[in-house]
Amino acid sequence: MPLKDSYVIWNNKGGVGKSTLTFHLATEYAFLHPEENILVIDLCPQANVSMALLSSLSTHGSERVSKLHREKKTICYYLEDLKSPVAMAKPSQYITSVDEYNPHVSDNVHLLCGDMSLELVGRNIEELRRIPPGADGLIPWVFYTCAVRWFIEGYEGKVEGVTTGEDDWVVFVDTNPAFAVYTEIGLVSARKLIIPINADDFSRAAIKSMLDLVYGVGNDEVSASFSGYREYSFSTKAGKYGVKKPKIHLLINNRTTMYGQHVAKSFQAMAQANVDVLYDTYKEHQNCFAERTEGGTINSQKSFEKEYLYHLQDFHSSAILSLHTGCPLKSLKEISGGHVKVFNDNIRPNAKHLDKCQKNVFRLVFDKL
């Protein structure tokens, strides 16, 4: 299949900046790789990354998400229409070229739009996954859990009006906080997992929960009273049916305070606590992690941190302006004579700060993806 790579951005902790990060990773990657096609899949019922990508100076993205819903070009309509791996509609029925709505995003960015009805559709899929396997050998749990993977693997490279060669598609999947059925669908859709964290005590607990939920490792606190429920868990069923799970690719210490080129001590310390958990897991379960070195060896926590941790500076007001206007950081300072209208206020982005933030995202995409 002509797929270069795929990333799912997820943490079961809320407020860590998943949608914001997905927006910046996808748009910056598109700028840096104009010869490749970028597909953003929005599997969050809030549809925030879709709103950001479809926004422009004249129209907020929420109106365009509603428009695509009416046109049946959203993730929910794909999931509703899904009947079998060989009986799916053409991808052009669901995929939107973002530059049709937002001229500030590269013309190689495509979107499988989010939908606020995803919560309802997800409940239906949960019921369908409980159906016992049929005489035809189809396992409903596998089929519906892999719904978006079918989309990527079955359609990728075949979008009408897009010329594709080999290895020219990169997919970014945005997810919701928590662990719903559509979270599981998002996780198995991609090859690599990017985990955003914040500098607080709760991120360490979220990392431990993630390792247990997705990979079934690291949780020795489940009492005997509940251990029997593990047969119903995602990690157990995925293992039972041979469903591929994403490899841990990167931990991003998001919204970090930095002084010059140095991370503030408190932010570094909090990130270090998360690295401790992941490195302990790496030593025992290396198969859960993506290979990040070319012939190199990770034999210490320091070398592990160098490969798997990235500190991303807080964008402050730049992030708000970027998402509100649909403008990547690279383009934000070039619009409206340097001023951005946010509801009733005209705000001028700090050009120096924008340059610094954009360079941080550039290094993240260039060095780590």
Side-chain angles (χ1 to χ4, degrees):
M1 126 182 118
L3 177 69
K4 182 175 180 180
D5 230 328
S6 53
Y7 304 90
V8 55
I9 296 87
W10 178 69
N11 187 332
N12 55 323
K13 179 180 181 297
V16 294
K18 291 180 289 296
S19 298
T20 302
L21 190 59
T22 303
F23 175 85
H24 290 299
L25 290 177
T27 54
E28 184 68 20
Y29 192 99
F31 275 129
L32 290 173
H33 302 85
E35 75 286 356
E36 297 176 9
N37 292 297
I38 314 305
L39 174 61
V40 178
I41 298 177
D42 192 347
L43 271 165
C44 178
Q46 297 178 49
N48 288 334
V49 74
S50 296
M51 293 180 191
L53 286 168
L54 297 172
S55 288
S56 66
L57 294 177
S58 59
T59 307
H60 192 262
S62 58
E63 297 179 28
R64 288 161 173 172
V65 169
S66 297
K67 176 178 180 291
L68 291 175
H69 176 84
R70 293 192 297 272
E71 295 174 358
K72 300 185 177 182
K73 293 183 67 173
T74 68
I75 181 66
C76 282
Y77 284 101
Y78 164 69
L79 294 173
E80 274 294 285
D81 292 344
L82 182 64
K83 304 301 179 187
S84 74
V86 294
M88 296 185 288
K90 294 180 180 180
S92 55
Q93 181 173 340
Y94 308 102
I95 292 178
T96 298
S97 295
V98 174
D99 70 327
E100 293 179 9
Y101 295 93
N102 184 356
H104 302 291
V105 172
S106 301
D107 61 6
N108 55 337
V109 179
H110 310 277
L111 173 67
L112 178 53
C113 186
D115 195 314
M116 294 183 185
S117 299
L118 186 58
E119 193 70 57
L120 297 173
V121 174
R123 291 178 183 273
N124 180 55
I125 290 176
E126 189 63 84
E127 292 300 315
L128 292 172
R129 293 200 308 174
R130 294 192 178 104
I131 298 173
D136 58 0
L138 179 70
I139 302 172
W141 191 92
V142 174
F143 176 71
Y144 288 104
T145 303
C146 295
V148 172
R149 196 169 95 194
W150 301 140
F151 187 96
I152 296 171
E153 295 184 358
Y155 289 158
E156 186 281 319
K158 302 176 184 176
V159 180
E160 291 181 1
V162 177
T163 302
T164 65
E166 292 189 2
D167 297 333
D168 67 344
W169 278 86
V170 175
V171 179
F172 295 91
V173 182
D174 190 27
T175 57
N176 64 306
F179 203 68
V181 59
Y182 40 83
T183 318
E184 298 176 17
I185 290 172
L187 284 167
V188 305
S189 71
R191 295 173 179 174
K192 296 175 180 177
L193 172 61
I194 294 175
I195 309 167
I197 62 169
N198 286 156
D200 56 47
D201 290 322
F202 309 117
S203 285
R204 180 182 172 94
I207 289 290
K208 288 184 175 181
S209 176
M210 177 275 297
L211 290 169
D212 183 33
L213 288 168
V214 181
Y215 304 102
V217 302
N219 190 345
D220 54 2
E221 299 177 2
V222 176
S223 71
S225 300
F226 306 119
S227 60
Y229 297 154
R230 284 199 177 278
E231 65 176 296
Y232 307 113
S233 71
F234 167 78
S235 60
T236 298
K237 287 195 171 184
K240 176 182 177 180
Y241 295 126
V243 172
K244 292 182 180 179
K245 293 174 281 189
K247 303 287 188 179
I248 297 171
H249 180 71
L250 192 60
L251 182 72
I252 297 180
N253 192 17
N254 202 18
R255 300 169 179 161
T256 302
T257 295
M258 301 182 72
Y259 300 106
Q261 298 298 315
H262 301 286
V263 179
K265 288 184 178 180
S266 60
F267 286 81
Q268 176 68 55
M270 289 293 182
Q272 193 64 53
N274 288 272
V275 171
D276 292 345
V277 174
L278 285 178
Y279 182 59
D280 287 343
T281 304
Y282 178 85
K283 289 184 290 186
E284 299 295 328
H285 303 278
Q286 193 170 332
N287 62 313
C288 296
F289 292 79
E291 294 184 11
R292 292 205 51 87
T293 58
E294 295 182 3
T297 302
I298 295 176
N299 52 17
S300 68
Q301 184 159 323
K302 185 176 181 180
S303 59
F304 176 85
E305 181 177 339
K306 181 180 179 181
E307 294 295 335
Y308 287 96
L309 176 66
Y310 187 87
H311 298 284
L312 188 60
Q313 183 178 0
D314 195 335
F315 298 161
H316 298 295
S317 60
S318 300
I320 296 171
L321 298 177
S322 180
L323 296 181
H324 180 74
T325 59
C327 286
L329 297 169
K330 184 181 181 71
S331 306
L332 186 57
K333 63 184 179 182
E334 301 169 2
I335 65 172
S336 298
H339 287 83
V340 178
K341 188 174 181 60
V342 179
F343 300 109
N344 295 321
D345 292 326
N346 285 310
I347 301 172
R348 185 182 183 88
N350 184 305
K352 185 177 180 180
H353 187 234
L354 276 175
D355 282 337
K356 189 174 182 179
C357 292
Q358 196 271 326
K359 287 175 182 176
N360 277 323
V361 177
F362 172 89
R363 283 195 293 269
L364 169 58
V365 171
F366 188 79
D367 293 339
K368 297 295 186 179
L369 299 188

